[in-house]
Every structure is written in structure tokens, then in C-alpha cells.
Amino acid sequence: MADKPRLDVDRITCRFDGRDVVRDVSFTVRAGEVMCLLGPSGCGKSTTLRVIAGIERQVSGAVRADGITLSDEQVHLPPEARGVGLIFQDFALFPHLSVAQNVGFGLKGNKAEIARRVHELLERVDLAGYGDKAPHMLSGGEQQRVALARALAPRPRIMLMDEPFSGLDNRLRDGIRDETLQLLKEEGTAVVLVTHEPEEAMRMADQIALMRDGVIVQKGAPYNIYNAPADKAAAAFFSDINVIRGAVQGALVDTAFGQFLAPGHPDGTEVEIVFRPQHVKIDFDRGGRGPNPTPQDGTPARGIVARARFMGHESLVEFRMDFDGGIVKATVPAVFLPKPGTPLWLTVRRDRCFVFAKKR
Ligand code: ADP
Ligand code: MG
């Protein structure tokens, strides 16, 4: 069994009112691995999770755990028979049970064993000493951590989490996220985490499946998705982007920022060159004169500062470009707030640009 993924989601399609809200979705998750389903609201993330949990039924495709079928067109194991832990957005604690009773609810074993496990988990979620309290005496964030402890208590093989951290305030969130992750890794749980926040996915995931309109548009390690997005929208999901346009001639595109490689695009193809603000450099020294600093940097182009804002760990400067009157955004990792109207020269890291055929 060791070679089988812990969770295998195999081409599932889920239909509501004649509409495919999840179509042909496939991914695998190994023990101790975190898969993030990432995408905008309504793209089918929660539905996918509910199919894995057995709360929703797919019209086609299969869900397997360690090679055993949990559901397909014929089989449909009920949620409680799947060995799957769930933490959903609208978690519900049993209001008439204490915190400790909530956490121990699904546990088997003798009283001392259960008490030990409950104590261990409450410590892990930073709620030691809260065991005897009633849920309503806790804040929303504390209740969320109890729900987390309860889901972890039976040591599920697979943990499904639907935006479980969105109710926590910022101060707590990072700590709880990292703690949760560590706990799940230690226990060798395969995790599917749903989120619409790219930062959360980058922080938590071993693999990201980027979803849009019910399908997975790209799957891979965070680094790969960020640095080799499948299309313009995939690039834009993770940060602000800049877009300039051009036409391909001999696998090259000529622009005011120099030539870009466009391998595989036939002559005459209209393309969009996409790059992130962090890969725009302000060329303080040259002002368009003299040799280029490095071959990656291409040709400096002049823009006029339209707006500059300090963002905390960087400054974001927007330029109106001479060559087409469009806006290019640059981030500078320092306090840099030039006055609007200031002319400056920009270069872009050509090795960090993405060239996509323009969609019609
Ligand atoms: P996400 O979690 O990515 O925000 P969902 O999976 O909740 O998206 O929803 C995907 C689409 O399916 C949405 O358009 C939503 O309105 C629709 N949908 C979800 N559940 C149902 C249902 N039980 N009946 C009909 N439509 C549904
Ligand atoms: Mg959802």
C-alpha cells in the first residue's frame, strides 16, 4: 500500500441543476502532504471537499483512500465510514457539552486514555485549562480551535479543511496555522485545505490545485505555480501584474522594454507579456543611456510617476509609460516615494516575464 496515495480523487464531476459545478477534477495527496484547493468564491472548492467527505455525491469519477474505493458511480460509503476528519467554515460545537467533552466526543478507549488525548490536543491548540468551560464562554477564535482539536482527536487518515482559519484574527492566525500544520504532519495525515487566499495557500501547501469555474487550471508546488503560471489569470491570482502587448515575429516580440522570447508562438500572434511589479527595476543610473546592466534587464523605458505608496515592507510606484500611455507598477523594497510627475526609467526582468497568446 505504501506506493498508493493516501487520497486519490479521480476525475470527479458534480452537477447541480444540470450544471457541472465541478468537472473532471483529479488530484492525489500522500500521507503527511497538504494539498490546497485555491480559487475564487464559487469555483467549486467546497463542493469538491464535500464529495470527498461523502456529503455530496458525484455523477462520475471515484474517490479512493489507500487504494480502497470510498465512492464511485456504484459505491457510496457514508461520511462516518470514511476515516476522514472535517473542519468546515461553519463549524458547530455541541453547546451542551464542555470543551473537553467536545474534543473527546468521537474517541474510543478508556477514560484515562481519552482524557490524556484531550489534554494533549487542548495544549496543542493553546487552550489548556479550558476543558471544563462551555463553548459559549469562548471567543469565536477559541471555539474554532476547539473544533480543530475535535477533528484531530481521532487521528483521521485524511483531513478536509474548508477555510478553517478565516475566522481567526491576524494575531492568532499564523501561529495556529503553523501549529496545525505541524500536528497534521507529525500524524502523517493527508490534508486537503480549501482557501481563496493565495498567501495562505503558499504558506501551507505542498501542492496547490488552482481552480476556476469548476475545473483545475493548474496543479503544482507553490513555487512552480507562482513562477510558471498557466495563463494571465493564474498569474494575477497571486499578485498585481503588469501587461504589455505585442506581436510575434520569428519567435520574438519587440517592445519598448526590448525583445522577449516567444517560443512556440507563430508569426503574427498577438501576445500579452505579463510580469509582476517586483520584477520591474527602476534604472536610477542610466536614464536610458549607456549599456544595459544585465542581459535579462532588456531596454529601459521611460515612465512618469503617477502615484507612490508605502506598503510597510515595500513601496509601490505606478508609472504612466511614455510608449503607450499605460500603467506599469513597480515595487521597491524600501521607502521610495517619488513625487507624481517625476520621470524615471524602468527595466523589466525578462527572465521573469510570461508570454501568453492573447485570448479573444
Ligand atoms: P467555493 O467553495 O469555491 O466557493 P462551491 O463549491 O461552494 O464554491 O460552489 C460552486 C458552485 O456550485 C456555486 O456556483 C454554487 O452556487 C453552486 N452550488 C453549491 N452547492 C450547491 C447546491 N447544493 N445546489 C445547487 N448549487 C450549488
Ligand atoms: Mg466554499
Side-chain angles (χ1 to χ4, degrees):
M1 282 297 176
D3 57 328
K4 291 262 195 323
R6 174 56 52 82
L7 174 66
D8 178 11
V9 175
D10 187 9
R11 306 191 62 171
I12 59 167
T13 293
C14 194
R15 194 168 295 153
F16 295 125
D17 311 322
R19 184 170 70 99
D20 289 354
V21 301
V22 170
R23 184 157 29 91
D24 234 4
V25 161
S26 298
F27 57 86
T28 59
V29 192
R30 301 196 160 273
E33 196 179 55
V34 178
M35 165 64 82
C36 261
L37 302 184
L38 174 66
S41 173
C43 73
K45 307 180 298 294
S46 294
T47 302
T48 303
L49 217 61
R50 293 162 66 85
V51 167
I52 301 168
I55 302 163
E56 213 69 74
R57 201 162 175 178
Q58 69 271 37
V59 291
S60 62
V63 180
R64 301 181 199 95
D66 294 320
I68 311 287
T69 300
L70 303 183
S71 67
D72 60 17
E73 282 102 13
Q74 284 83 40
V75 178
H76 184 78
L77 285 190
E80 62 275 13
R82 295 189 175 203
V84 165
L86 302 172
I87 307 177
F88 284 120
Q89 256 158 338
D90 43 359
F91 62 96
L93 299 176
F94 302 115
H96 57 291
L97 298 182
S98 72
V99 165
Q101 286 167 331
N102 264 283
V103 175
F105 185 78
L107 291 181
K108 298 183 185 72
N110 68 41
K111 262 193 175 160
E113 280 164 8
I114 292 177
R116 203 175 317 124
R117 179 81 178 138
V118 168
H119 180 75
E120 178 190 317
L121 282 160
L122 286 179
E123 262 189 348
R124 292 310 286 267
V125 298
D126 217 14
L127 288 175
Y130 283 63
D132 294 331
K133 290 191 195 292
H136 75 264
M137 297 163 74
L138 274 55
S139 71
E142 288 165 347
Q143 290 185 32
Q144 187 110 4
R145 280 140 69 199
V146 176
L148 187 61
R150 184 176 64 182
L152 291 168
R155 296 192 167 89
R157 290 180 303 171
I158 296 165
M159 182 68 87
L160 308 176
M161 309 175 89
D162 196 340
E163 317 232 4
F165 308 107
S166 54
L168 300 174
D169 60 52
N170 283 337
R171 192 176 53 84
L172 280 174
R173 181 155 43 202
D174 290 351
I176 302 252
R177 273 204 287 230
D178 294 346
E179 271 287 308
T180 303
L181 204 61
Q182 199 190 332
L183 206 66
L184 289 163
K185 294 247 176 221
E186 278 169 20
E187 309 222 341
T189 315
V191 180
V192 184
L193 173 70
V194 161
T195 181
H196 65 273
E197 289 176 41
E199 300 78 22
E200 179 158 283
M202 302 283 275
R203 187 186 181 101
M204 303 284 286
D206 298 302
Q207 299 286 322
I208 292 175
L210 188 63
M211 290 186 74
R212 190 187 308 149
D213 299 332
V215 300
I216 294 178
V217 290
Q218 194 172 6
K219 221 169 7 186
Y223 175 88
N224 290 328
I225 296 214
Y226 189 87
N227 290 302
D231 57 21
K232 185 171 77 171
F237 202 75
F238 288 91
S239 78
D240 260 348
I241 55 168
N242 295 299
V243 182
I244 57 173
R245 295 183 173 81
V248 179
Q249 203 53 246
L252 290 171
V253 192
D254 260 319
T255 78
F257 286 117
Q259 283 191 323
F260 291 79
L261 299 175
H265 295 284
D267 280 2
T269 308
E270 298 277 318
V271 293
E272 293 179 310
I273 298 163
V274 174
F275 48 99
R276 303 189 191 281
Q278 76 203 76
H279 298 129
V280 178
K281 283 207 293 197
I282 297 170
D283 189 351
F284 293 105
D285 307 328
R286 280 164 234 280
R289 298 177 298 275
N292 292 329
T294 70
Q296 290 91 342
D297 286 334
T299 308
R302 203 183 81 146
I304 307 294
V305 173
R307 200 146 90 105
R309 282 170 292 165
F310 182 57
M311 309 290 284
H313 55 300
E314 61 190 20
S315 303
L316 176 63
V317 188
E318 292 178 27
F319 295 89
R320 182 145 322 265
M321 300 308 295
D322 288 352
F323 65 85
D324 69 348
I327 290 283
V328 164
K329 296 176 184 176
T331 53
V332 180
V335 185
F336 178 62
L337 300 168
K339 282 207 173 59
T342 310
L344 286 167
W345 293 83
L346 308 179
T347 59
V348 299
R349 282 282 302 270
R350 289 187 295 183
D351 55 337
R352 296 306 196 95
C353 290
F354 318 119
V355 179
F356 301 117
K358 201 169 164 198
K359 287 186 182 155
R360 358 190 125 251

